[in-house]
Amino acid sequence: MSGFSVTEPSQRQKWIAGLLVITYAMVTLMPLLWIIATGFKSPEDAISYPPKVLFEPSLEGYVNLFSSRTRITTGMQESLQPAETWYEQVARDSGTIIVGPSRYGQRFLNSVVIGFGSTFLAIVFGTMAAYAFSRFKVPIKDDLLFFILSTRMMPPIAVAIPIFLMFRQLGLNDTQLGMILLYTAVNLSLSVWLLKGFIDEIPFEYEEAALIDGYTRFQAFYKVVLPQAATGIASTAIFCLIFAWNEYAFAVLLTSGNAQTAPPFIPTIIGVGGQDWPAVAAGATIFLIPVMIFTILLRKHLLRGITFGAVRK
Amino acid sequence: MAQIIIKNLRKDFGDFTAVKASSFTIEDGEFFMLLGPSGCGKTTTLRMIAGLELPTSGEIFIDGEEVSQKRASQRDIAFVFQMFALYPHMNVRQNISYPLKSQGMPRAQIKAKVAEVAKILGIEDILSKPVGGLSGGDRQRVALGRAIVREPKAFMMDEPLGALDAEFREHMSEELRALHDRMGATTVYVTHDQLEAMQMGDKIVVMNHGSVEQFGVPQQIYDWPASLFVADFIGSPPMNFLHFNGAVGEGDSKVSLSGQVFDIPQQLQAASGDLVFGVRPEHVSLNDASAYKGKVLAIEYLGTTQVITIESANGVLKARVASADMVEVGQQVGLVFNPRTISLFDKSTGAALLSDANKGVLDHG
Ligand SMILES: Nc1ncnc2c1ncn2[C@@H]1O[C@H](COP(=O)(O)OP(=O)(O)OP(=O)(O)O)[C@@H](O)[C@H]1O
Ligand SMILES: [Mg+2]
């Protein structure tokens, strides 16, 4: 090829850009790789210095994460029947026996129920509120919108105590329902604002066409507006889920047993005798998976959603 | 198919009156043009007929039934939007079948109807395409397809050719008119393009500032405008206005302008004060025998004709004359006006004065 193009970057520019992106990705992905790798190390390898890049993979961290164990003496170990399952074997190899499941599974389930539940509600209510704000004459609309946004301006710590007191009166302390309601309320401000932006972009004519074609207002909303807002809904849902999934402050303050989510629980995973870093890392790794899957499933929408408006056909 | 009667229709948006006491009748099967400059209330009127906007007051009769407060879906009307408003998440076939689905029509029947409509519009080969990538003309056809598939009582079209480029507009307007002639459905068509309105319409209503200025067939509106506004809005170049201060009496068939006496149609209405003498450019001719003189300011050559701009004692006017007429800029020329085509207007009200010639046109309006 000869000459140069105005719109196409040159070969060298492409190389430089690629190099920059790879460097940036390495820097940001390093902690993630570290966590994933540590999850598969033995406790000794996890704290060895200098850090081991190549190591013999072990499932000890994962076994420890999901079980509670007790330490036994070598003598006792010899008197036991041979281990029946692979995870019992892993536990025995480190000088312990499994006495029951850990609480991680249940905490994880809490995270799933609370995270997805609150995201679902924030999206359902958010879409309807955003539609109303976008399409109808709402008195003091701007003030209402600002008020909705302002609910998110306070740090959780500032409102945690009143919420704690309220929840205690209502019997919502340390319940899944309480946490779902709380996260829904916090996420609503985000979802109303984001979705209003997306719905504003959808020309009103589509709904009018549907009204003329013999549909009711509500049918026009869910048959014409919703499919076109799908992109916005998907990206909003991801943001809501990420917030609810990672939320730490409220979760620490308002949950303890029943409804505790994974974030406050993970740091409390401490092995029998010493910090069990592989188990903590395993807990963090598994914790990442649902958001990752959700994001990957919706990523096509996400990309379009974030660039929405800029590249409208 | 239906007759549509509009009676004293009015629409206020807050303090602002977008449409003032409009009345007109659209006969069954007519291709009816709503014409006027931007912001005069055409779209608002059309939307009120369709039921997308509720009137502040007044009545709308479709097929004898008063519908002004009914929902759009109950009026059995189709609407073609300026930007077409094709549902972007559906393909062509789904777009066209969508109005039928709402009626709960069986699938097989929908399929047959869509096929029939696609054939009429010549879009059979794009039925399974998404609407996103279609050309302007095809979008237009799909929008029409979605409108006609339901066989509604009437069609409303809001500047349906506005989104197309000039070359294609011409072609589509012919196609549209042919489609109308074939189906004979009552059509209300909004445009701000007076040429389009003249070419396509069976009847025209001219609106200005929310009021109906005149309504009638194109030729009559062109020849006998009811007001200065209509005379100026229609025709290119528009009607010439010669301003004078004088008087005409009932029964007069002459008027005096700057000392010259001109023959005019017999007047049925007396008036005095500031008046306007209106004559279309093609009814002005150059004749040096005439005592009414003007100076040529500019010449615009248009092939078979030329438009000559002339300064007279009563203002600047334009004459459309044969290209063969030899004139030069700066030349003094004598002007003759075809007496049977003259309209007089009262300048203060803007209204045309009734004469023998225009009474047939203006009486019913
Ligand atoms: N929803 C509304 N609220 C307030 N004013 C409105 C509304 N819709 C229209 N108007 C005003 O009413 C007037 C008439 O509007 P309309 O859209 O009917 O004009 P139009 O003749 O269709 O003009 P155009 O040729 O520009 O489409 C305009 O001045 C417009 O600003
Ligand atoms: Mg308009």
Side-chain angles (χ1 to χ4, degrees):
Chain A
M1 281 231 266
S2 64
F4 67 96
S5 153
V6 181
T7 49
E8 274 287 301
S10 74
Q11 207 59 28
R12 216 184 71 186
Q13 283 168 324
K14 279 186 192 166
W15 271 102
I16 293 173
L19 215 64
L20 277 175
V21 170
I22 290 169
T23 314
Y24 178 73
M26 291 227 294
V27 171
T28 51
L29 287 179
M30 194 49 86
L32 198 67
L33 289 175
W34 188 268
I35 290 281
I36 294 170
T38 304
F40 289 102
K41 285 181 177 175
S42 64
E44 300 79 54
D45 284 350
I47 52 169
S48 74
Y49 188 86
K52 284 192 176 174
V53 178
L54 293 175
F55 55 89
E56 197 183 325
S58 147
L59 286 172
E60 203 181 323
Y62 284 87
V63 172
N64 291 356
L65 175 67
F66 282 105
S67 63
S68 40
R69 285 144 284 112
T70 181
R71 190 162 283 286
I72 51 168
T73 61
T74 329
M76 275 174 75
Q77 194 161 13
E78 270 155 16
S79 69
L80 285 170
Q81 308 269 326
E84 275 173 24
T85 57
W86 65 268
Y87 47 86
E88 265 180 64
Q89 189 58 53
V90 171
R92 295 239 188 125
D93 291 346
S94 65
T96 57
I97 54 166
I98 292 172
V99 294
S102 75
R103 287 173 300 166
Y104 183 74
Q106 195 242 327
R107 299 298 190 258
F108 188 82
L109 196 69
N110 279 341
S111 267
V112 171
V113 170
I114 293 169
F116 283 88
S118 66
T119 300
F120 177 76
L121 290 182
I123 291 299
V124 169
F125 293 130
T127 311
M128 294 201 275
Y131 179 77
F133 275 124
S134 172
R135 295 294 196 250
F136 300 132
K137 268 198 199 127
V138 181
I140 58 165
K141 181 190 279 187
D142 292 346
D143 301 304
L144 282 175
L145 278 170
F146 182 76
F147 171 74
I148 290 173
L149 185 66
S150 70
T151 59
R152 210 179 166 107
M153 290 179 184
M154 282 170 285
I157 283 298
V159 286
I161 290 175
I163 290 175
F164 177 79
L165 296 174
M166 258 167 22
F167 271 27
R168 200 172 55 185
Q169 284 295 318
L170 295 168
L172 288 173
N173 256 343
D174 202 15
T175 59
Q176 288 184 345
L177 179 65
M179 294 310 284
I180 290 177
L181 292 179
L182 179 61
Y183 288 169
T184 305
V186 175
N187 269 336
L188 261 180
S189 61
L190 181 76
S191 70
V192 169
W193 271 77
L194 281 180
L195 287 167
K196 178 175 178 298
F198 285 108
I199 293 174
D200 282 345
E201 292 268 324
I202 302 170
F204 193 42
E205 269 107 73
Y206 295 135
E207 281 152 86
E208 296 192 322
L211 291 180
I212 296 236
D213 284 349
Y215 293 88
T216 63
R217 187 86 203 212
F218 190 71
Q219 283 173 323
F221 168 69
Y222 82 77
K223 286 188 172 159
V224 175
V225 177
L226 277 194
Q228 289 184 68
T231 293
I233 291 175
S235 32
T236 308
I238 289 175
F239 288 126
C240 288
L241 181 72
I242 289 174
F243 166 80
W245 191 255
N246 293 338
E247 207 286 327
Y248 184 76
F250 282 129
V252 164
L253 292 163
L254 298 175
T255 64
S256 46
N258 267 332
Q260 193 179 44
T261 52
F265 178 74
I266 290 174
T268 69
I269 304 169
I270 294 170
V272 183
Q275 298 281 347
D276 192 349
W277 292 117
V280 172
T285 306
I286 292 180
F287 182 67
L288 287 172
I289 292 172
V291 181
M292 249 153 69
I293 294 177
F294 191 65
T295 311
I296 289 169
L297 285 180
L298 299 182
R299 85 175 177 286
K300 201 178 71 201
H301 288 299
L302 187 61
L303 205 60
R304 264 205 58 214
I306 289 171
T307 53
F308 203 77
V311 290
R312 204 112 197 282
K313 45 242 123 129
Chain B
M1 301 303 123
Q3 182 199 45
I4 301 173
I5 301 173
I6 308 297
K7 271 193 190 157
N8 291 322
L9 200 61
R10 178 191 176 94
K11 177 71 187 178
D12 295 337
F13 292 111
D15 293 339
F16 178 74
T17 305
V19 176
K20 298 170 197 157
S22 297
S23 301
F24 51 88
T25 302
I26 303 160
E27 296 298 341
D28 186 11
E30 235 166 33
F31 201 97
F32 191 91
M33 312 302 276
L34 262 170
L35 173 67
S38 189
C40 71
K42 307 178 295 285
T43 299
T44 308
T45 305
L46 195 72
R47 288 167 59 86
M48 286 193 284
I49 301 176
L52 293 173
E53 207 89 65
L54 290 183
T56 308
S57 63
E59 293 166 305
I60 301 166
F61 294 89
I62 298 177
D63 229 0
E65 187 190 356
E66 213 283 313
V67 296
S68 64
Q69 301 298 322
K70 283 200 171 173
R71 285 175 188 283
S73 55
Q74 296 168 327
R75 299 192 189 186
D76 193 14
I77 268 179
F79 202 106
V80 177
F81 293 85
Q82 179 163 13
M83 302 309 288
F84 311 139
L86 301 177
Y87 306 118
H89 56 297
M90 303 180 189
N91 67 19
V92 171
R93 178 188 298 283
Q94 288 164 330
N95 259 283
I96 298 179
S97 33
Y98 206 58
L100 299 179
K101 274 196 202 144
S102 79
Q103 306 173 345
M105 187 182 276
R107 260 162 187 262
Q109 208 177 330
I110 290 182
K111 206 165 173 210
K113 286 237 78 163
V114 173
E116 183 191 329
V117 166
K119 193 162 173 232
I120 294 173
L121 295 166
I123 51 172
E124 290 142 300
D125 47 331
I126 58 165
L127 278 180
S128 51
K129 282 196 186 168
V131 295
L134 297 184
S135 68
D138 281 342
R139 278 164 186 259
Q140 169 76 75
R141 293 189 186 96
V142 177
L144 284 173
R146 194 173 66 184
I148 64 180
V149 74
R150 236 175 57 205
E151 297 177 16
K153 284 188 184 150
F155 296 103
M156 306 287 129
M157 304 189 182
D158 191 359
E159 309 215 18
L161 305 180
L164 305 179
D165 49 42
E167 203 175 328
F168 205 67
R169 282 179 80 120
E170 187 115 359
H171 174 76
M172 266 329 274
S173 69
E174 278 164 27
E175 210 170 288
L176 245 168
R177 182 68 225 210
L179 186 67
H180 173 264
D181 291 346
R182 171 173 178 168
M183 308 210 316
T186 311
T187 303
V188 187
Y189 185 109
V190 162
T191 179
H192 63 255
D193 181 341
Q194 52 100 12
L195 263 176
E196 195 173 274
M198 304 283 278
Q199 282 168 2
M200 294 173 76
D202 292 324
K203 248 189 221 158
I204 299 178
V205 66
V206 184
M207 291 186 70
N208 186 30
H209 291 308
S211 342
V212 171
E213 292 269 338
Q214 189 169 8
F215 125 75
V217 300
Q219 175 94 45
Q220 289 177 342
I221 289 184
Y222 184 82
D223 289 344
W224 303 112
S227 66
L228 284 170
F229 172 80
V230 176
D232 189 47
F233 190 70
I234 291 190
S236 64
M239 185 177 264
N240 293 305
F241 299 139
L242 299 175
H243 301 271
F244 68 103
N245 193 293
V248 282
E250 210 177 314
D252 283 3
S253 54
K254 287 192 192 311
V255 68
S256 154
L257 229 72
S258 303
Q260 296 299 315
V261 176
F262 292 96
D263 285 333
I264 53 170
Q266 190 175 41
Q267 295 298 298
L268 303 176
Q269 197 181 350
S272 62
D274 282 335
L275 301 180
V276 178
F277 179 100
V279 58
R280 292 262 173 215
E282 57 273 29
H283 298 308
V284 180
S285 48
L286 309 182
N287 186 339
D288 286 335
S290 167
Y292 190 78
K293 301 283 187 197
K295 188 177 132 198
V296 176
L297 293 181
I299 299 166
E300 191 186 347
Y301 179 74
L302 296 172
T304 51
T305 62
Q306 53 186 341
V307 173
I308 311 210
T309 309
I310 300 157
E311 188 170 28
S312 76
N314 301 87
V316 174
L317 74 158
K318 293 192 174 189
R320 186 189 287 274
V321 299
S323 298
D325 288 10
M326 297 300 281
V327 276
E328 275 168 30
V329 173
Q331 192 183 335
Q332 281 291 121
V333 289
L335 297 169
V336 176
F337 307 127
N338 181 348
R340 281 171 297 124
T341 65
I342 307 299
S343 290
L344 292 188
F345 301 89
D346 182 333
K347 194 172 178 186
S348 57
T349 62
L353 301 178
L354 220 52
S355 76
D356 219 19
N358 68 13
K359 101 173 174 273
V361 174
L362 299 190
D363 262 358
H364 78 86

